[in-house]
């Protein structure tokens, strides 16, 4: 894989992740009422916990911003960026898991799954491909 191809894959991962976040929000209106109310309650709890503690809100924002910044660092082949990306990917996943389940309309599930697959592919390439040496070069 060339560096340009890797950078395009990283960019696609960021784009699909943003699209998944937007789809998660927009798709709420297409859910059946019982699922819509469960999702609304979970979202309200997450927002309330962030408002109750500025630390929790700061951590949430930092994790999301750190994830996207680590993607940018990967595209620039910054040293140690794969480790930062791994940390922020796992931390954001834990945050998402602790907040609430993802409740998506069927039409948006492929977008969410594509995001997961691309994140996994980028991680694999960072650690298991010949490109891994590019991140340790000084």
């Amino acid at each position: 894989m060339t560096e340009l191809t890797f950078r395009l894959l990283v960019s696609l991962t960021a784009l699909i992740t943003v699209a998944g976040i937007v789809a998660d929000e927009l798709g709420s209106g297409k859910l059946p009422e019982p699922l819509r109310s469960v999702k609304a309650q979970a979202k309200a709890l997450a927002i309330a916990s962030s408002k109750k503690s500025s630390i929790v809100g700061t951590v949430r924002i930092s994790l999301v911003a750190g994830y996207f910044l680590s993607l940018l660092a990967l595209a620039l082949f910054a040293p140690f960026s794969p480790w930062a990306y791994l940390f922020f990917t796992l931390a954001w996943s834990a945050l998402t898991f602790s907040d609430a389940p993802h409740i998506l309309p069927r039409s948006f599930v492929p977008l969410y799954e594509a995001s997961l697959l691309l994140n996994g592919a980028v991680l694999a390439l960072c650690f298991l491909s010949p490109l891994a040496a590019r991140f340790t070069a000084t």
Side-chain angles (χ1 to χ4, degrees), residues 67-78:
Y67 167 81
F68 286 108
L69 288 174
S70 67
L71 274 174
L72 176 63
L74 283 177
L76 298 173
F77 292 98

Side-chain angles (χ1 to χ4, degrees), residues 25-39:
E25 200 57 40
L26 295 177
S28 297
K30 297 180 179 182
L31 292 169
E33 179 52 40
L35 292 177
R36 208 176 6 211
S37 65
V38 167
K39 186 170 181 163

Side-chain angles (χ1 to χ4, degrees), residues 5 11 19 24 28 35 50 57 71 82 114 120 138:
T5 308
S11 299
D24 187 25
S28 297
L35 292 177
S50 291
L71 274 174
T138 55

Side-chain angles (χ1 to χ4, degrees), residues 39-121:
K39 186 170 181 163
Q41 287 173 343
K43 183 178 177 181
L45 283 173
I47 291 170
S49 70
S50 291
K51 286 182 177 180
K52 184 177 180 182
S53 169
S54 61
I55 293 173
V56 172
T58 303
V59 166
R60 286 178 196 283
I61 292 169
S62 298
L63 287 177
V64 175
Y67 167 81
F68 286 108
L69 288 174
S70 67
L71 274 174
L72 176 63
L74 283 177
L76 298 173
F77 292 98
F80 304 107
S81 58
W83 292 105
Y85 181 63
L86 177 62
F87 170 78
F88 284 111
T89 299
L90 292 175
W92 191 2
S93 296
L95 177 69
T96 302
F97 181 74
S98 70
D99 278 347
H102 276 290
I103 304 172
L104 298 169
R106 184 174 293 174
S107 59
F108 291 127
V109 170
L111 191 62
Y112 180 74
E113 295 298 326
S115 175
L116 293 176
L117 287 171
L118 287 169
N119 278 288

Side-chain angles (χ1 to χ4, degrees), residues 1-13 74-75 77 117-118 120-135:
M1 171 172 279
T2 67
E3 290 180 11
L4 177 63
T5 308
F6 179 75
R7 285 182 171 132
L8 290 173
L9 183 66
V10 168
S11 299
L12 181 63
T13 302
L74 283 177
F77 292 98
L117 287 171
L118 287 169
V122 168
L123 280 169
L125 288 169
C126 286
F127 289 103
L128 304 174
S129 78
L131 282 173
R134 182 75 166 82
F135 292 104

